[in-house]
Amino acid sequence: MPERAPDPSPFTRVASPASRQVVERGRGAARAGTVLLWLAAAIFAVLLVLPIAAILARALFSTDLFGALARPVVVDALRLSLMTTGVSLLVALVLGTPVAWLLARRQFPGKAWLDGLLELPMVLPPAVAGIGLLLAFGRRGLLGPLLASLGLTVGFTTAAVVMAQIFVAAPFYVRAAKVGFQGVDRELEEIAATMGASRWVSFWRVTVPLAFPSLLTGAAMCWARALGEFGATIMFAGSFQGRTQTMPLAIYGALESDLEAAIALSAVLVVVSFLLLGLVRLTARRSGLADG
């Protein structure tokens, strides 16, 4: 005897032309919403990509790129930026790593305040940072007389460039390093201790390797932020070629007198930023911190 076909679902039995129209309208609204989402995403992508593409296109096809890169103002800015950002990153690593470890592993009075103060430069307007550095370390600042008595001048020198970069960029490293240290399993450190390793050896042989992806990401972000620093530097260090004029300041100064040099420096910063972003994403992917 042939099997009997199953009864239609209650929803199908009670469906009426009016209800089917409601369903179709819902599907049409969903399709329209999807189209609007893709349209918004496309517009947003154009707003972000078009300026970058314009810089690269102008640098590659309408500018004597290599000739511009060989000009003294560009060479001086490149040299000074590499030197100052290297020093700033080194200071951030040496001083920021212990601070990040303390914030990740220790409880002490005022920890929340210290954590907040360390992240404040990340959201502080660069002009405010420059004013603060000038009022603290300038000739008429809080420490100005003390520095003058020691024969030291900080404001509008190369040291001021480094200090401005450290102020605005070091918190990026400290924040990432703190997250990295918090993610290390303490049981592994305890196992190393039971095997006779001192805390110092355990830190370098166990903690640092496990937290290394976060440390590397933080260092890359710190260096990139220092490389692009403008506002605090121009207010605290000025813009003197060969002494305080870093790449962003040279771009600003060359806009009026040498557009090709400004475009060449901009292209260099775009390429460096893209490579750093790729490094950060690759590191995060290998450590399982990012998708795709």
Side-chain angles (χ1 to χ4, degrees):
M1 183 175 180
E3 295 183 0
R4 186 176 180 181
D7 293 334
S9 65
F11 176 79
T12 305
R13 288 201 304 267
V14 300
S16 63
S19 63
R20 286 196 293 270
Q21 290 179 359
V22 172
V23 172
E24 290 298 327
R25 289 176 183 174
R27 292 176 178 173
R31 287 193 292 268
T34 302
V35 172
L36 290 177
L37 287 174
W38 280 107
L39 180 61
I43 294 174
F44 187 67
V46 168
L47 290 175
L48 295 180
V49 173
L50 191 59
I52 304 301
I55 292 174
L56 295 178
R58 183 69 178 270
L60 293 175
F61 303 112
S62 302
T63 302
D64 182 10
L65 182 61
F66 295 103
L69 290 175
R71 294 174 186 176
V73 63
V74 176
V75 173
D76 289 341
L78 286 169
R79 177 188 56 80
L80 184 66
S81 291
L82 291 176
M83 181 188 70
T84 55
T85 55
V87 175
S88 300
L89 178 59
L90 180 61
V91 174
L93 294 176
V94 173
L95 300 182
T97 301
V99 174
W101 189 87
L102 286 174
L103 291 173
R105 297 298 184 87
R106 292 288 187 265
Q107 296 295 330
F108 52 87
K111 175 182 176 180
W113 286 98
L114 177 60
D115 200 1
L117 287 174
L118 287 173
E119 294 187 355
L120 183 60
M122 299 172 65
V123 297
L124 201 65
V128 177
I131 288 291
L133 290 169
L134 195 60
L135 294 178
F137 301 101
R139 291 183 179 178
R140 299 182 180 180
L142 294 177
L143 298 181
L146 176 61
L147 294 173
S149 65
L150 298 174
L152 300 176
T153 300
V154 176
F156 303 99
T157 64
T158 305
V161 176
V162 175
M163 293 178 66
Q165 291 173 351
I166 293 172
F167 183 85
V168 301
F172 287 87
Y173 171 75
V174 174
R175 184 176 184 180
K178 181 184 71 172
V179 174
F181 290 141
Q182 288 174 337
V184 175
D185 190 351
R186 297 194 181 186
E187 292 185 358
L188 298 176
E189 297 174 339
E190 294 174 358
I191 293 173
T194 59
M195 297 177 65
S198 64
R199 288 188 176 182
W200 184 252
V201 173
S202 176
F203 175 77
W204 284 108
R205 296 292 182 87
V206 178
T207 307
V208 170
L210 291 175
F212 182 74
S214 296
L215 300 180
L216 180 61
T217 299
M221 296 300 295
C222 174
W223 187 76
R225 180 64 185 87
L227 186 65
E229 160 53 30
F230 176 83
T233 303
I234 198 171
M235 297 193 70
F236 183 45
S239 181
F240 303 101
Q241 183 177 340
R243 190 174 70 183
T244 64
Q245 191 178 72
T246 57
M247 292 172 67
L249 273 63
I251 292 172
Y252 182 77
L255 279 175
E256 297 181 356
S257 58
D258 193 348
L259 183 59
E260 285 196 348
I263 294 173
L265 285 170
S266 299
V268 170
L269 285 176
V270 167
V271 172
V272 170
S273 300
F274 181 79
L275 293 176
L276 280 174
L277 180 60
L279 174 63
V280 170
R281 291 184 62 86
L282 179 62
T283 304
R285 183 181 303 175
R286 289 186 174 180
S287 61
L289 300 177
D291 297 329

